[in-house]
């Protein structure tokens, strides 16, 4: 808990913050997925009530001057694993430290994954996650549900979750002991399509990985370097391709989680070119660092970089994946935050297959994507908003309540200073974990204020979160963005005043084209 000791969180009771129910943010540059414009934003009771200039607002309203800064829709991290029992241990960031850290970095909503234990039904697992998260979350959250087995019972529970519990996404694994085979994937995708849900897939060829791992261990390769060697990127690309082909058979929209390599991204691009409803998410880790780190001589460092699919040794991978985000080959960034301390990573000290898989990122995702994307000149501020917030809101049917700054939307807003610099470190982060894969990285892009449901949770470097202040948010099925894209125009919030031309498209290096 290094971060907590050096950076104590002041918790202000909710009742002392009630005067904050009215807030005016003045002089900021509002960024949307396709526009940047100067408008003031007036918030009441957690909702954006007015936008424009010279707004008429009640006396006594708190005013924040955002001059020189951007106003971004709060980040939505579509991929976290808080309080997750996995590989014989439990991730150390729970729904309190996880969402607190999210807010510290400018993320105002997360979507976590329900993972049923052996023999547990999807429904019981869902209730258990609600119990773990409600009362702890400092910001709003939704839940995806994993399908570690396939059966008629699972199929029934999927329907109940969609119809009664606000779930619209299910994750299937093509690797690990709990992977589904191709026939089971087919059936699960078919059920997703029928329900109006989104199929998510962890795409790696599990049986081939198992054989590779056996061979490497027999050769005496037991250290963390065996992790990537056993799961080379062609096994990721092959599985992405197979998942796209299977999803196509039953016309199911497919969301490929954690795309970690150029060759996997290429398969996503091909499926999209073919007209497939395929969406690709990459990770802050994949954009901010690369796989050579897993050969660090110290076990903590190399094991600290172990996640699946692995970080790739090719140092061009981060820029290639960022360019895929720029070109709309990939649509979103997540963190896949799944944190384990030194003693937990040491479960695999003698055998790389036993290193708990997972890294941090929920706190640093926004800064890392800004630094490697906007500051590096590969994506515009508008595309940054799309890949950190808006596209997640659209795909999971949270838009326009979330993912945009517009009248009627939730007041989840970040006052973002694109020029300020911070250095990432486990010494100062707010996460419970004792390690940070971005240690020492200097990032332009720092949140000056983070407003969560109208409440100022970060200002002047002080984090004031409220445990349990967040709510579970339903993700209704048949997201128009996925199932009825022609309806999106109706959903798009409008604003008064002349349109400002969208940010110029950026020239992209030919090298990064797929
Ligand atoms: O290594 C990873 N990615 N850990 C979390 C579980 C998963 O597959 O997303
Ligand atoms: Zn996964
Ligand atoms: Zn070390
Ligand atoms: Zn994950």
């Amino acid at each position: 808990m290094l971060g907590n000791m050096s950076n104590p969180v002041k918790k202000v009771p909710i009742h002392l913050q009630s005067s904050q129910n009215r807030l005016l943010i003045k002089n900021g540059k509002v960024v949307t997925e396709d526009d940047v414009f100067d408008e003031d934003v007036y918030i009441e009771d957690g909702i954006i009530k007015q936008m424009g200039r010279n707004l008429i607002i009640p006396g006594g309203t708190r005013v924040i001057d955002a001059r020189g800064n951007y106003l971004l829709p709060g980040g939505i991290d579509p991929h976290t694993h808080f309080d997750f029992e996995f590989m014989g241990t439990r991730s150390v960031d729970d729904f309190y430290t996880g969402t607190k850290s999210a807010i510290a970095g400018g993320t105002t909503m997360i979507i976590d994954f329900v993972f049923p234990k052996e023999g547990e039904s999807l429904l019981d697992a869902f209730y258990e996650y609600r119990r773990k998260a409600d009362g702890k979350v400092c910001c709003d959250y939704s839940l995806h549900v994993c399908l570690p087995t396939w059966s008629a019972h699972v199929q029934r529970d999927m329907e109940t979750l969609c119809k009664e519990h606000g779930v619209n996404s299910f994750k299937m694994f093509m690797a690990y002991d709990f992977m589904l085979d191709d026939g089971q994937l087919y059936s699960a995708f078919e059920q997703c399509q029928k329900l109006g849900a989104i199929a998510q897939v962890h795409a790696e060829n599990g049986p081939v990985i198992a054989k590779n791992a056996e061979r490497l261990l027999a050769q005496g390769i037991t250290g963390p370097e065996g992790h990537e060697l056993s799961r080379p990127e062609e096994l990721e690309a092959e599985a992405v391709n197979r998942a796209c082909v299977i999803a196509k058979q039953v016309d199911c929209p497919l969301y490929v989680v954690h795309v970690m390599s150029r060759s996997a991204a290429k398969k996503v691009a091909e499926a999209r070119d073919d007209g497939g409803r395929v969406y690709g998410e990459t990770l802050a880790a994949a954009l901010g660092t690369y796989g050579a780190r897993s050969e660090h001589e110290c076990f903590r460092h190399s094991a600290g970089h172990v996640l699946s699919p692995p970080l790739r040794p090719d140092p061009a991978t981060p820029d290639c994946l960022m360019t895929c985000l720029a070109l709309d080959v990939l649509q979103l960034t997540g963190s896949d935050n799944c944190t384990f301390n030194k003693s937990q990573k040491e479960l695999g000290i003698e055998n790389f297959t036993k290193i708990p898989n997972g890294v941090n990122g929920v706190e640093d995702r926004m800064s890392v994507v800004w630094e490697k994307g906007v500051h590096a000149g590969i994506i515009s501020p508008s595309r940054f908003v799309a890949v950190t917030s808006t596209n997640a809101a659209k795909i999971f049917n949270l838009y326009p309540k979330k993912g945009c700054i517009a009248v009627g939307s939730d007041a989840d807003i970040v006052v973002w200073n694109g020029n300020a610099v911070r250095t990432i470190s486990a010494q100062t982060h707010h996460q419970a974990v004792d390690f940070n894969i971005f240690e020492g990285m200097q990032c332009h892009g720092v949140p000056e204020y983070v407003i969560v449901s109208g409440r100022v949770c970060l200002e002047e470097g002080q984090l004031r979160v409220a445990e349990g202040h967040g709510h579970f948010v339903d993700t209704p099925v048949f997201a128009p963005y996925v199932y009825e894209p022609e309806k999106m125009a109706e959903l798009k919030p409008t604003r008064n005043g002349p349109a400002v031309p969208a940010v110029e498209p950026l020239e992209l290096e030919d090298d990064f084209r797929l």
Side-chain angles (χ1 to χ4, degrees):
M1 301 276 280
L2 290 169
N4 292 349
M5 284 192 291
S6 57
N7 216 341
V9 174
K10 278 190 203 157
K11 274 177 90 180
V12 177
I14 293 174
H15 68 272
L16 293 181
Q17 298 235 351
S18 57
S19 59
Q20 291 191 355
N21 71 341
R22 291 196 301 265
L23 190 61
L24 177 67
I25 312 173
K26 277 182 81 80
N27 304 320
K29 278 196 179 311
V30 177
V31 187
T32 68
E33 59 176 330
D34 52 9
D35 212 349
V36 180
F37 50 89
D38 296 322
E39 276 189 4
D40 301 338
V41 179
Y42 173 65
I43 295 162
E44 218 176 79
D45 298 328
I47 303 291
I48 299 170
K49 288 283 158 82
Q50 294 184 59
M51 289 175 66
R53 279 296 160 93
N54 305 314
L55 300 176
I56 298 165
I57 54 156
T61 296
R62 181 178 173 193
V63 179
I64 288 176
D65 187 358
R67 191 176 298 276
N69 292 321
Y70 291 114
L71 301 190
L72 310 176
I76 300 175
D77 187 338
H79 192 155
T80 65
H81 301 277
F82 299 145
D83 203 349
F84 174 32
E85 264 184 61
F86 184 49
M87 296 185 74
T89 186
R90 183 185 287 272
S91 62
V92 290
D93 278 298
D94 67 6
F95 282 90
Y96 172 60
T97 63
T99 54
K100 177 182 77 178
S101 307
I103 293 168
T107 288
T108 56
M109 176 169 187
I110 59 102
I111 316 183
D112 207 271
F113 289 81
V114 172
F115 193 93
K117 298 191 193 92
E118 219 177 319
E120 191 180 32
S121 73
L122 301 193
L123 276 178
D124 285 343
F126 175 82
Y127 299 141
E128 170 68 4
Y129 267 75
R130 288 293 309 268
R131 194 192 57 70
K132 285 201 284 192
D134 290 344
K136 280 207 167 187
V137 283
C138 305
C139 63
D140 286 351
Y141 78 106
S142 298
L143 290 169
H144 315 290
V145 176
C146 297
L147 309 183
T149 55
W150 181 251
S151 67
H153 194 162
V154 166
Q155 195 171 349
R156 265 201 314 278
D157 277 2
M158 285 172 74
E159 185 168 354
T160 310
L161 286 164
C162 286
K163 294 199 168 146
E164 296 172 24
H165 296 293
V167 171
N168 74 4
S169 44
F170 297 93
K171 179 176 175 186
M172 280 67 78
F173 293 81
M174 299 170 81
Y176 296 112
D177 296 346
F178 40 82
M179 66 191 171
L180 302 189
D181 66 27
D182 290 356
Q184 292 170 326
L185 284 177
Y186 186 106
S187 303
F189 289 177
E190 201 172 28
Q191 175 71 341
C192 284
Q193 198 277 343
K194 203 174 113 198
L195 294 170
I198 296 134
Q200 297 182 289
V201 70
H202 176 126
E204 288 186 290
N205 187 320
V208 176
I209 291 168
K211 295 300 276 183
N212 278 345
E214 220 176 87
R215 176 178 47 82
L216 289 160
L217 290 169
Q219 288 168 358
I221 299 171
T222 58
E225 69 280 10
H227 182 69
E228 208 278 337
L229 291 173
S230 68
R231 327 171 79 105
E233 70 178 68
E234 65 255 34
L235 299 191
E236 185 190 358
E238 182 279 327
V240 169
N241 184 60
R242 188 156 33 101
C244 292
V245 170
I246 298 170
K248 190 177 171 196
Q249 309 310 303
V250 290
D251 193 24
C252 177
L254 183 70
Y255 179 109
V256 185
V257 298
H258 45 46
V259 174
M260 298 296 281
S261 63
R262 177 192 289 254
S263 36
K266 193 169 177 189
K267 295 299 177 192
V268 173
E270 284 169 14
R272 287 175 62 83
D273 280 354
D274 247 19
R277 278 181 295 175
V278 177
Y279 310 97
E281 165 205 275
T282 190
L283 304 184
L287 298 164
T289 183
Y290 66 97
R293 303 282 168 81
S294 70
E295 281 160 23
H296 195 283
E297 61 191 16
C298 147
F299 179 81
R300 177 60 187 120
H301 276 78
S302 42
H305 287 77
V306 165
L307 81 160
S308 294
L311 293 164
R312 302 305 176 186
D314 177 358
T317 304
D319 277 356
C320 173
L321 292 172
M322 185 59 81
T323 306
C324 288
L325 287 166
L327 296 171
D328 201 35
V329 166
L330 301 175
Q331 290 69 41
L332 325 79
T333 58
S335 67
D336 198 0
N337 195 96
C338 186
T339 45
F340 300 104
N341 279 337
K342 180 170 181 281
S343 59
Q344 296 172 294
K345 288 281 183 180
E346 282 172 355
L347 290 170
I349 200 145
E350 282 169 357
N351 179 340
F352 65 85
T353 66
K354 300 206 169 358
I355 300 170
N357 288 193
V359 298
N360 64 289
V362 73
E363 179 163 349
D364 299 322
R365 181 183 62 116
M366 299 285 277
S367 290
V368 167
V369 177
W370 186 274
E371 173 68 20
K372 299 289 183 178
V374 182
H375 189 71
I378 304 175
I379 61 172
S380 65
S382 282
R383 187 63 186 163
F384 174 86
V385 160
V387 303
T388 57
S389 181
T390 313
N391 287 348
K394 287 180 174 176
I395 291 170
F396 297 109
N397 211 357
L398 298 157
Y399 181 87
K401 172 182 167 68
K402 303 282 187 188
C404 59
I405 297 180
V407 172
S409 297
D410 286 359
D412 293 339
I413 297 175
V414 180
V415 178
W416 187 260
N417 184 339
N419 297 317
V421 182
R422 74 182 182 96
T423 304
I424 297 177
S425 176
Q427 304 292 320
T428 48
H429 72 199
H430 299 83
Q431 302 205 215
V433 68
D434 60 6
F435 186 77
N436 193 312
I437 47 161
F438 308 113
E439 186 72 36
M441 183 175 163
Q442 290 209 322
C443 286
H444 295 80
V446 173
E448 300 282 353
Y449 296 85
V450 179
I451 295 146
V452 183
S453 300
R455 188 173 174 280
V456 181
C457 286
L458 177 82
E459 58 180 315
E460 289 166 9
Q462 290 295 316
L463 191 58
R464 297 193 185 88
V465 296
E467 191 167 0
H469 191 68
H471 295 105
F472 177 78
V473 183
D474 282 351
T475 53
V477 290
F478 291 107
Y481 182 72
V482 175
Y483 279 90
E484 291 174 288
E486 65 285 357
K487 282 215 177 138
M488 286 310 286
E490 287 164 38
L491 280 178
K492 193 173 167 65
T494 53
R495 66 183 184 91
N496 297 326
V500 177
V503 178
E504 289 279 298
L506 293 148
E507 289 291 320
L508 297 167
E509 299 280 335
D510 275 351
D511 289 2
F512 296 133
R513 294 204 187 276
L514 291 165

